[in-house]
Amino acid sequence: VTQGWLINRKDDLIWFIGSVVVSYAFLAANLLLVKVGMSVMLVVWVWALGFDGPHVFGTISRTYADTEERRARAKLFYGSFLLSLFGPSMLLLDWLLKTNLFGPAFFFFASLWAYYHLVKQHYGFMILYKKKNNDLAEIDNLIDRAFILIGMTYPFVHFLTHSFAAKERIEAMGVSVESGPAWWAETFVFSAFLISL
């Protein structure tokens, strides 16, 4: 019986829900490498080549490498490609002006965009399950939407205000994470998450 599941119980638990085990495995590997004094870049390379690379190549093979798709959506594809030049141009601007402002600002924006993409993917899966289970009452949708969107925003905001690497980049833009907007943002998002529970 597939009622309530997107595919069926076994496949959903393996591919949609159980796949989080891979994330915890990478976290454990990262912590282990740090403990034994090895570079965490090993985990990054395994992730990039084993998981993210095929994901990106799969996208490219269905878009830029597909002549029919490329012809049908030329403006979208080439416009998107031009957008990808924005990051390198920010680094070039820093180099030309002898500053360290535009690169970190772009990195911050790109990180927000990437995380937004991740959050919206999770939101999409939640909606698929809600639709499959006919759980579409407006108040339930509002509560579930707030819970997942705010709940997934808090870890990112917390990372920005507590991670050494993130603090360094944010403070390079002249923003203090110890007080002011960053502290208030974290407090606000955490409080909103508690309310959504």
Side-chain angles (χ1 to χ4, degrees), residues 3-54:
Q3 187 176 3
W5 301 98
L6 297 184
I7 302 173
N8 58 54
R9 185 174 186 272
K10 179 185 170 189
D11 287 333
D12 281 23
L13 288 174
I14 291 172
W15 301 110
F16 302 141
I17 299 166
S19 60
V20 74
V21 172
V22 175
S23 301
Y24 286 114
F26 273 95
L27 177 61
N30 193 359
L31 295 172
L32 180 65
L33 288 175
V34 168
K35 189 169 182 140
V36 298
M38 292 177 67
S39 173
V40 296
M41 286 308 293
L42 178 63
V43 173
V44 172
W45 277 105
V46 169
W47 173 259
L49 296 176
F51 294 89
D52 204 37

Side-chain angles (χ1 to χ4, degrees), residues 96-109:
L96 290 172
L97 298 177
K98 308 277 191 274
T99 65
N100 190 30
L101 178 65
F102 298 102
F106 173 76
F107 176 80
F108 181 75
F109 169 77

Side-chain angles (χ1 to χ4, degrees), residues 115-131:
Y115 198 74
Y116 173 77
H117 170 73
L118 174 78
V119 171
K120 290 298 278 187
Q121 281 181 324
H122 285 74
Y123 174 75
F125 272 100
M126 180 191 75
I127 292 299
L128 288 172
Y129 277 104
K130 286 175 69 65
K131 178 75 173 165

Side-chain angles (χ1 to χ4, degrees), residues 6 20 37 46 49 56 58 75 85 89 91 94 112 115-116 119 145 148 163 194 196:
L6 297 184
V20 74
V46 169
L49 296 176
V56 171
K75 286 182 183 176
L85 300 176
S89 66
L91 294 173
D94 269 344
L112 283 177
Y115 198 74
Y116 173 77
V119 171
R145 186 180 308 121
I148 197 164
S163 162
L194 290 178
S196 77

